[in-house]
């Protein structure tokens, strides 16, 4: 988990979604994932490859998913199916910061709904929406694997924050706002 001095904001790059291509570094990272599977099963690396592509681009425009499909020798529709199934994949450009909160039952029983309301009130948006200034996108997520730390938030797909009471949520949003202005 991040401490109070850990930067939270990972800037989403401003790229033309139609012309962006996977970088040499991303392809190298995908190759490392592909190497974990038998040669005839390149497709097994699809989740990792999509995560790497999203790391680079900030979200998953269709041309990027098609490039992943070609690289893994898969039908594009099979890649779309994976990307649309998992909530961590962003199919539209997000705000500069993406905040996901788990509202599954175990978390709901431990205050996730209160935390979700606080986020919605403070940001002035609902789930799946982005603030007018483009700073934050709020996502309702599935189990983040940290049920014992509910309420649990995930910032920019990478940084987990657990046991989030309303004051801590306010502090987190203030920190994100300050970093986004820099
Ligand atoms: S149910 Fe919320 S993190 Fe598992």
């Amino acid at each position: 988990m991040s401490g109070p001095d850990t930067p939270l904001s990972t800037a989403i790059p401003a790229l033309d979604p139609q012309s962006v291509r996977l970088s040499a570094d991303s392809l190298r990272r995908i190759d490392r994932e592909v190497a974990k599977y038998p040669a005839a099963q390149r497709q097994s690396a699809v989740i990792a490859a999509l995560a790497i592509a999203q790391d680079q681009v900030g979200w998953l425009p269709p041309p990027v998913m098609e490039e992943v499909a070609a690289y893994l020798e898969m039908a594009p529709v099979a890649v779309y199916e994976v990307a649309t199934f998992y909530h961590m994949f962003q199919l539209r450009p997000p705000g500069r910061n993406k905040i996901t909160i788990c509202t599954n039952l175990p978390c709901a029983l431990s205050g996730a709904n209160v935390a979700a309301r606080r986020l919605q009130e403070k940001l002035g948006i609902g789930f799946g929406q982005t603030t007018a200034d483009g700073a934050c996108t709020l996502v309702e997520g599935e189990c983040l694997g940290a049920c014992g730390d509910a309420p649990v938030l995930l910032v920019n797909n990478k940084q987990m924050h657990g046991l989030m009471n309303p004051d801590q949520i306010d502090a987190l949003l203030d920190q994100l706002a300050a970093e986004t202005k820099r």
Side-chain angles (χ1 to χ4, degrees):
M1 277 185 208
S2 307
D5 299 326
T6 307
L8 298 171
S9 214
T10 51
I12 303 291
L15 299 168
D16 175 358
Q18 296 310 318
S19 63
V20 66
R21 292 289 173 266
L22 294 176
S23 66
D25 181 56
S26 291
L27 293 175
R28 262 194 303 276
R29 291 177 63 199
I30 292 172
D31 285 343
R32 280 202 293 273
E33 298 299 327
V34 167
K36 295 175 182 173
Y37 302 97
Q41 292 176 20
R42 295 175 65 78
Q43 298 94 327
S44 300
V46 63
I47 293 176
L50 287 171
I52 290 165
Q54 183 166 271
D55 273 354
Q56 176 196 323
V57 180
W59 60 292
L60 293 173
V64 170
M65 288 192 277
E66 285 158 21
E67 192 179 355
V68 168
Y71 200 70
L72 298 181
E73 300 169 6
M74 298 174 66
V77 68
V79 173
Y80 298 150
E81 283 171 359
V82 173
T84 53
F85 183 80
Y86 292 100
H87 69 83
M88 73 271 203
F89 294 128
Q90 192 76 35
L91 303 180
R92 290 193 299 271
R96 290 185 291 286
N97 296 291
K98 175 181 161 189
I99 301 173
T100 304
I101 178 166
C102 171
T103 56
N104 283 184
L105 185 60
C107 282
L109 293 173
S110 298
N113 292 340
V114 173
R117 265 198 307 279
R118 185 66 160 220
L119 283 166
Q120 291 174 327
E121 285 165 10
K122 287 284 286 188
L123 294 171
I125 56 175
F127 288 132
Q129 296 180 341
T130 298
T131 54
D133 62 359
C136 279
T137 296
L138 185 59
V139 176
E140 183 174 33
E142 303 297 331
C143 181
L144 297 169
C147 322
D149 289 339
V152 188
L153 312 183
L154 186 64
V155 175
N156 295 328
N157 297 324
K158 302 282 184 204
Q159 291 152 336
M160 193 88 84
H161 297 260
L163 304 171
M164 295 297 284
N165 64 36
D167 289 344
Q168 288 167 311
I169 287 172
D170 291 354
L172 173 69
L173 294 179
D174 288 347
Q175 188 182 349
L176 283 172
E179 289 179 5
T180 302
K181 279 189 197 131
R182 280 183 205 150

